[in-house]
Amino acid sequence: MGFSLTLFLILVSLPAILAQELNFAKIVVDGTTEIAETDDTYICATIDWWPSDYCRYGSCTWQNASAITMDLSNPLLAKTIQAFKHLRLRVGGSPEDQLIYNVGNPGNPCHPFQQTRKGLFGLTKGCLSMSRWDELNQFFSKTGAVVTFGLNALNGRHNQGILWLGDWDPSNAEALIKYTISKGYHIDSWEFGNELSGGGIGARVEAAQYAKDLIILKRIMTELYWKSSFKPKLVAPGGFYDKNWFNTLLQDSGSGVVNIVTYHIYNLGPANDRNLVNKILDPSHLSNSILGTFTDVEQTVQEHGPWASIWVGESGGAFGGGAPNVSDRFVNSFCALLWHRLMGTGVLEVDTDASPELRIYGHCSKGRTGVTLLLLNLSKQSEFVITVYNRVNVNMQGKKGILLQRSSTFGHKQTNSRDKKEKASDGLSYREEYHLTPKDGDIQSQTSVLNGNPLNVTNGELPTLHPVLNDDNSPIYISPLSIAFIVIPNFEAPACA
């Protein structure tokens, strides 16, 4: 699914920068071949089921943010989702495997989640009324959201400790899907359970049993949607990667049952980790803690489920609702929105002689020619001065040596985008730059600044995200602890044609 919003590793509370160092670096972009491809709905968000009074690690972060309690009439909420055109919303999370749907014969009274000492995650069973399901789907339709819905995969089972045994009872899920079809609601994909794979989080199901039940769900979906021109995808398992468990799941369920393999990433650990800030700004931790998992998941799917796509179905950086004064600080949604608007689906290879504190991602630009770079400066002190080159005109010699014929360089002279037509008449070509920094240099601030202008919501309206224009033949300046999107329309990239 993409990478949920924390790919950008939200920059968090740190001391004010007292001194800066200039570091000159080169970036070489290979626009001849795509090395990977992302989904059109790569940016996604999860709406969970946690009750408003649920607290963890001494913080009650959920408040009225669940699918049951969220204020769907809030105009800012709708406008935020609409800003992404078609934002993927995953409705699900830890309590989903205790959620009963009040349709057909659910076998349980329809009561909201309540806290208890005995229940899974300290909760009783909860209930989704069909009136609320109607409201949610009306909201999805109004905002253009693309919905993935997580089904209760523990219904009918009994537990021995963390292990849940017995066959899944599909009757309640089937009743919900029938109701959904009868109302004409468009659910893009159905996901089966949450974090039941491997050792499980709170609960687990053996892979062979899970695969058996997944075949039943696939058959139900095929039967119920057989008259429909739209066929929703089946997504699984929505949990943490375990090689043997994932292998068995794909082998036992068989060809074509699982359309999308999902797994979760929380490589920063729990939200109460006192070392969280250092982890976020440590390039070696960010790479080494998860790179092997990416490789292993890809290998598993290639060997045992080559018909399936792969999504990171859930990722929040720090698990447990996020860390106060960390997860809710600096650039979050604006960074995701810029990614959605600027980064195309084609992923390009980039090489650099910069230090690891500068993280670089290259994509074909979205809906236009050229390439777009995402640059994250994790350094507290170093400002990077960057020159970008085209692989067509460059030979790389090791990691630190670059022999080059100048293709183009990019600068610090800033021109407001509204002056573009006038400036273009001088015969020069320009690139667009979006530099995100915290207000007043205080990265505990909840106000993001774009190219020197605070991004504030005014009268319920999202701010306009304007770039600055810089001459192609000038270097790019990346401030400490900042995030920048650089759009280069005149970059020759055959892979992006």
Side-chain angles (χ1 to χ4, degrees):
M1 181 180 296
F3 63 43
S4 269
L5 303 181
T6 55
L7 170 65
F8 303 113
L9 307 168
I10 311 308
L11 303 180
V12 294
S13 42
L14 291 167
I17 299 170
L18 300 178
Q20 293 186 6
E21 303 171 351
L22 279 181
N23 281 285
F24 293 85
K26 305 177 185 72
I27 295 175
V28 178
V29 181
D30 187 348
T32 61
T33 307
E34 291 183 0
I35 60 172
E37 189 173 47
T38 63
D39 194 282
D40 286 331
T41 53
Y42 186 63
I43 295 295
C44 62
T46 291
I47 301 176
D48 217 313
W49 298 101
W50 295 105
S52 299
D53 59 352
Y54 191 86
C55 305
R56 195 173 185 184
Y57 304 131
S59 180
C60 306
T61 56
W62 297 104
Q63 300 182 26
N64 288 317
S66 81
I68 297 295
T69 60
M70 181 181 293
D71 181 7
L72 300 178
S73 65
N74 186 322
L76 181 57
L77 175 63
K79 289 175 182 178
T80 300
I81 295 173
Q82 288 168 337
F84 289 85
K85 304 300 182 184
H86 298 289
L87 176 65
R88 181 172 296 281
L89 291 179
R90 173 180 175 262
V91 184
S94 297
E96 80 178 50
D97 292 306
Q98 300 174 90
L99 186 69
I100 301 301
Y101 320 119
N102 194 30
V103 60
N105 298 301
N108 289 275
C110 191
H111 296 312
F113 285 113
Q114 299 290 335
Q115 296 193 49
T116 178
R117 293 183 179 181
K118 297 182 179 180
L120 183 60
F121 301 110
L123 296 174
T124 63
K125 290 183 178 180
C127 180
L128 173 64
S129 69
M130 290 303 96
S131 60
R132 183 59 175 181
W133 185 230
D134 293 339
E135 293 171 354
L136 285 167
N137 278 279
Q138 291 162 11
F139 178 77
F140 300 149
S141 177
K142 179 180 74 172
T143 57
V146 179
V147 179
T148 295
F149 187 89
L151 294 167
N152 180 344
L154 293 183
N155 193 40
R157 306 187 201 273
H158 63 279
N159 68 301
Q160 291 182 359
I162 194 174
L163 177 64
W164 287 69
L165 303 169
D167 292 337
W168 173 60
D169 180 355
S171 59
N172 195 223
E174 183 175 3
L176 177 67
I177 297 174
K178 281 183 178 178
Y179 180 87
T180 301
I181 295 171
S182 72
K183 300 289 284 189
Y185 299 147
H186 188 100
I187 301 300
D188 180 75
S189 47
W190 298 94
E191 188 171 36
F192 190 51
N194 183 79
E195 298 179 347
L196 303 175
S197 57
I201 302 298
R204 72 180 184 92
V205 175
E206 293 288 4
Q209 177 67 58
Y210 183 94
K212 175 184 174 182
D213 299 324
L214 205 59
I215 294 171
I216 294 173
L217 175 57
K218 185 71 170 188
R219 185 174 67 245
I220 291 171
M221 290 170 58
T222 300
E223 292 173 354
L224 295 182
Y225 281 96
W226 77 273
K227 289 184 179 180
S228 173
S229 59
F230 170 74
K231 310 297 182 184
K233 298 177 179 63
L234 179 54
V235 180
F240 292 97
Y241 176 72
D242 177 282
K243 181 178 180 179
N244 292 334
W245 198 98
F246 272 59
N247 287 353
T248 301
L249 159 66
L250 292 171
Q251 289 170 341
D252 286 13
S253 60
S255 178
V257 172
V258 179
N259 301 116
I260 299 163
V261 174
T262 49
Y263 66 105
H264 294 179
I265 295 176
Y266 285 96
N267 56 318
L268 294 178
N272 65 341
D273 185 350
R274 295 183 179 181
N275 197 41
L276 191 59
V277 171
N278 291 330
K279 285 183 177 180
I280 289 174
L281 297 178
D282 180 357
S284 61
H285 175 82
L286 298 179
S287 296
N288 297 339
S289 63
I290 201 62
L291 185 59
T293 302
F294 289 147
T295 303
D296 291 343
V297 172
E298 183 177 21
Q299 182 178 353
T300 288
V301 174
Q302 286 178 347
E303 290 182 2
H304 304 292
W307 56 85
S309 301
I310 304 172
W311 286 354
V312 176
E314 184 178 312
S315 176
F319 64 77
N325 301 318
V326 177
S327 301
D328 58 348
R329 302 293 155 154
F330 192 18
V331 285
N332 191 337
S333 58
F334 291 118
C335 194
L337 183 55
L338 284 171
W339 174 289
H340 174 77
R341 291 179 176 177
L342 303 175
M343 305 286 273
T345 58
V347 183
L348 305 175
E349 183 178 11
V350 293
D351 287 303
T352 186
D353 60 355
S355 67
E357 284 82 7
L358 183 68
R359 298 177 76 82
I360 307 164
Y361 305 86
H363 280 234
C364 296
S365 293
K366 188 170 186 176
R368 59 198 297 189
T369 60
V371 303
T372 298
L373 301 178
L374 168 61
L375 308 174
L376 290 81
N377 186 354
L378 302 180
S379 173
K380 306 173 190 178
Q381 294 179 293
S382 296
E383 179 179 22
F384 285 91
V385 183
I386 298 168
T387 307
V388 177
Y389 299 93
N390 195 320
R391 169 72 75 182
V392 172
N393 302 313
V394 174
N395 290 319
M396 294 292 290
Q397 288 191 340
K399 292 183 179 180
K400 294 298 180 182
I402 299 182
L403 298 178
L404 53 95
Q405 169 189 340
R406 178 171 297 185
S407 171
S408 57
T409 56
F410 307 101
H412 201 40
K413 174 186 173 186
Q414 294 190 343
T415 305
N416 195 294
S417 59
R418 68 175 64 94
D419 300 325
K420 183 174 182 179
K421 290 184 179 179
E422 290 80 3
K423 293 297 180 181
S425 65
D426 58 14
L428 299 177
S429 60
Y430 295 92
R431 66 176 181 272
E432 300 174 6
E433 298 187 9
Y434 301 78
H435 294 268
L436 288 164
T437 54
K439 184 180 179 182
D440 299 325
D442 175 13
I443 48 180
Q444 277 194 283
S445 173
Q446 289 185 305
T447 300
S448 298
V449 176
L450 177 63
N451 298 326
N453 300 308
L455 297 174
N456 297 314
V457 175
T458 305
N459 297 323
E461 296 293 333
L462 295 173
T464 303
L465 306 179
H466 287 302
V468 293
L469 302 182
N470 284 327
D471 183 354
D472 273 353
N473 294 304
S474 55
I476 302 168
Y477 290 77
I478 307 297
S479 300
L481 298 174
S482 70
I483 295 174
F485 290 86
I486 311 298
V487 183
I488 313 173
N490 297 302
F491 193 99
E492 183 181 355
C496 304

